[in-house]
């Protein structure tokens, strides 16, 4: 009888060894489906990248490096949409059902809050740059500025594997529209493209563009800016409507401003042109 029980026990152990792992795996998969865990890959990447504590100036040099590559991160649009009792989160052209409505709504609200905070911070940066002469007068604090598009990009230097996260936002409020690249860690503007309708021009105030070079030097934390930037051509490029250049036979007027940092030289490109729709464009340090 003892041999019979021993045989049954051995058979049970053999069956458990064969079937139990599959059953546990299936049970684990079901738990993941019932209680999904959303991985915030962009935040993990940002935390790793920013652990190196790069300065804004160093990030600008990386953007101009021939070895840098960029990866556009999945940017989930924050819009609370409910279909048959479930919350839907839009990821570009895909529709993703995350979980039951309450948990998904909280996730959506978190994403929406992040971009709202970024917009508020960006508007504050723009007002500060206007005050120092780095930007023309665009919008006052009461103006309604709408964000029409946004996405995040991870920049990676292939030689050193140093990386940092930036985001782009498209803003619109008459009479201007503006696309801005922003350092995600500090909120500092790294470059912009400003559009306005034909027949008008940006208002640089009573000082004009006299502080443009020094204002960006201080804002980016550069060591110096070349005095050669403050010449008649660059001042005209900043202040003159693009159609004025077009009358002289140039639809794309270009220059650059040289900054130094830690013994290196950064040439920030500046351009002014007439767009295909007839509007004017001023672009500063855009990749």
């Amino acid at each position: 009888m003892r041999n019979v029980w021993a045989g049954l026990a051995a058979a049970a152990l053999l069956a458990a060894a064969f079937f139990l792992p599959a059953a546990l795996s299936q049970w684990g998969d079901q738990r993941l489906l019932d209680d999904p865990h959303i991985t915030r890959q962009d935040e993990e990447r940002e935390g790793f990248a920013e652990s190196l504590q790069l300065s804004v100036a160093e990030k600008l040099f990386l953007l101009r490096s021939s070895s840098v590559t960029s990866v556009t991160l999945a940017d989930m649009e924050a819009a609370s949409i409910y279909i048959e009792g479930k919350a839907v989160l839009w990821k570009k052209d895909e529709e993703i059902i995350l979980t039951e409505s309450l948990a998904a709504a909280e996730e959506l609200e978190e994403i929406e809050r992040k971009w709202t905070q970024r917009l508020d911070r960006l508007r504050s940066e723009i007002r500060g740059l206007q005050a120092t002469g780095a930007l023309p007068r665009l919008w006052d604090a009461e103006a309604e500025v709408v964000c029409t598009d946004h996405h995040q990009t991870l920049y990676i230097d292939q030689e050193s594997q140093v990386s940092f996260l930036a985001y782009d936002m498209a803003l619109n409020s008459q009479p201007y529209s503006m696309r801005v690249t922003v350092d995600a860690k500090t909120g500092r503007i790294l470059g912009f493209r400003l559009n306005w309708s034909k027949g008008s021009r940006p208002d640089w105030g009573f000082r004009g563009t006299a502080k443009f070079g020094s204002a960006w030097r201080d804002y980016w934390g550069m060591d110096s800016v070349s005095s050669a930037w403050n010449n008649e051509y660059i001042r005209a490029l900043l202040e003159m409507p693009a159609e004025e250049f077009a009358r002289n036979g140039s639809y794309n007027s270009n220059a650059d401003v040289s900054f130094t940092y830690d013994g290196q030289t950064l040439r920030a490109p500046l351009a002014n042109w007439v767009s295909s729709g007839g509007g004017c464009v001023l672009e500063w340090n855009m990749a």
Side-chain angles (χ1 to χ4, degrees), residues 34-76:
D34 293 338
D35 185 21
H37 299 272
I38 301 169
T39 302
R40 296 181 175 87
Q41 294 181 352
D42 57 332
E43 294 178 5
E44 292 172 359
R45 288 171 177 147
E46 180 179 359
F48 172 75
E50 296 302 341
S51 66
L52 299 173
Q53 296 297 314
L54 295 171
S55 68
V56 172
E58 289 168 333
K59 293 173 182 178
L60 288 165
F61 277 97
L62 276 181
L63 285 175
R64 293 293 162 195
S65 170
S66 60
S67 63
V68 75
T69 61
S70 61
V71 179
T72 300
L73 303 181
D75 183 37
M76 294 178 283

Side-chain angles (χ1 to χ4, degrees), residues 210-223:
K211 297 292 184 180
F212 181 83
S214 58
W216 283 102
R217 175 201 62 202
D218 297 341
Y219 182 73
W220 284 339
M222 295 290 184
D223 294 332

